[in-house]
Amino acid sequence: VTQPKLPLLVDTPRAWAELAADNLSVFLADHAVCEQHAALAALSLIARYPQDDELVVRMGALAAEEVSHLRRVTRLLHGRGLSLARRRPNPYAQALRKHIVAEREPELKVDRLLVGALIEARSCERFTCLGQALGPRDPEVAELLHDLGPAERRHWEIFHGLAAREMSAVDLESRWRNWLEWEREVIAPRGTTPTVHG
Ligand SMILES: [Fe+2]
Ligand SMILES: [Fe+2]
């Protein structure tokens, strides 16, 4: 099955996938933290924009889905005698968020949503990349990645779709193109630690 292409400008180097495949317990413990962050980020958008009915409904569903991902990764970790990693800042997400400089709505909301879209798209790309490198080495993790990839793909489209309601298609496109460039800069020096966005 050929998947529709992700919007990202660069692919993760194969070396990262090999590193993560060789350090799956580190990857999984970090992955659980990412799912927590994803659920919390969706809930914080609800808290910021409680009057945006569509956003509240979609982010509520998304948060529930991220919690189900968290539970699945947690089961897998516990089955291997491992625990979740501690909550920690995510340097990738932090570096991206530095580019949110809008001071007014709807630009601020658009930027927050586009950052969400980028993180989901990159996570999807990383899961796919690792899944391919992993091959038959660890069928349980391969199955997890295979199931979560399409979910994260849907998620970036949800974030992008919510942003698209807020401005003209032309304005959104030029803003999105800037964000894609920033994402390229932020991800470029990474790929050296076996975490989801490492
Ligand atoms: Fe997720
Ligand atoms: Fe997600």
Side-chain angles (χ1 to χ4, degrees):
V1 186
T2 54
Q3 302 269 18
K5 218 179 135 24
L6 288 165
L8 302 169
L9 300 182
V10 281
D11 292 336
T12 291
R14 176 82 181 194
W16 171 84
E18 294 297 339
L19 185 67
D22 289 340
N23 295 277
L24 278 182
S25 51
V26 176
F27 174 85
L28 291 168
D30 175 74
H31 182 179
V33 182
C34 288
E35 299 291 0
Q36 274 179 73
H37 278 163
L40 289 167
L43 293 177
S44 94
L45 280 165
I46 292 179
R48 281 184 198 278
Y49 301 107
Q51 313 246 288
D52 182 341
D53 295 352
E54 188 184 3
L55 180 148
V56 168
V57 169
R58 287 189 177 274
M59 287 296 116
L62 191 137
E65 209 176 335
E66 303 295 13
V67 169
S68 80
H69 295 172
L70 169 65
R71 295 179 72 196
R72 190 159 163 195
V73 182
T74 299
R75 274 199 301 277
L76 205 152
L77 280 165
H78 289 175
R80 296 176 180 211
L82 301 167
S83 299
L84 277 62
R86 288 177 194 284
R87 281 195 73 196
R88 41 88 192 111
N90 180 335
Y92 165 75
Q94 282 183 325
L96 268 183
R97 290 208 177 89
K98 283 212 182 90
H99 292 282
I100 301 180
V101 292
E103 286 173 356
R104 298 178 286 123
E105 299 295 2
E107 288 81 4
L108 190 51
K109 187 200 247 181
V110 166
D111 284 352
R112 286 184 174 128
L113 289 166
L114 294 183
V115 167
L118 288 170
I119 295 173
E120 297 283 356
R122 182 56 70 187
S123 305
C124 174
E125 192 263 345
R126 286 275 172 112
F127 293 162
T128 307
C129 181
L130 175 56
Q132 284 165 357
L134 206 54
R137 269 189 275 178
D138 190 323
E140 196 182 19
V141 173
E143 193 190 351
L144 172 83
L145 297 169
H146 183 263
D147 291 348
L148 296 197
E152 310 307 354
R153 181 180 296 274
R154 253 190 305 108
H155 291 172
W156 89 256
E157 291 168 345
I158 289 169
F159 279 101
H160 191 271
L162 288 172
R165 305 166 307 158
E166 305 288 339
M167 52 180 58
S168 75
V170 175
D171 289 347
L172 184 79
E173 183 56 27
S174 78
R175 220 171 172 85
W176 180 230
R177 230 176 289 132
N178 286 336
W179 275 107
L180 289 170
E181 291 292 344
W182 290 325
E183 203 276 341
R184 186 220 297 264
E185 286 167 23
V186 166
I187 202 73
R190 312 200 65 80
T192 55
T193 51
T195 55
V196 176
H197 305 114

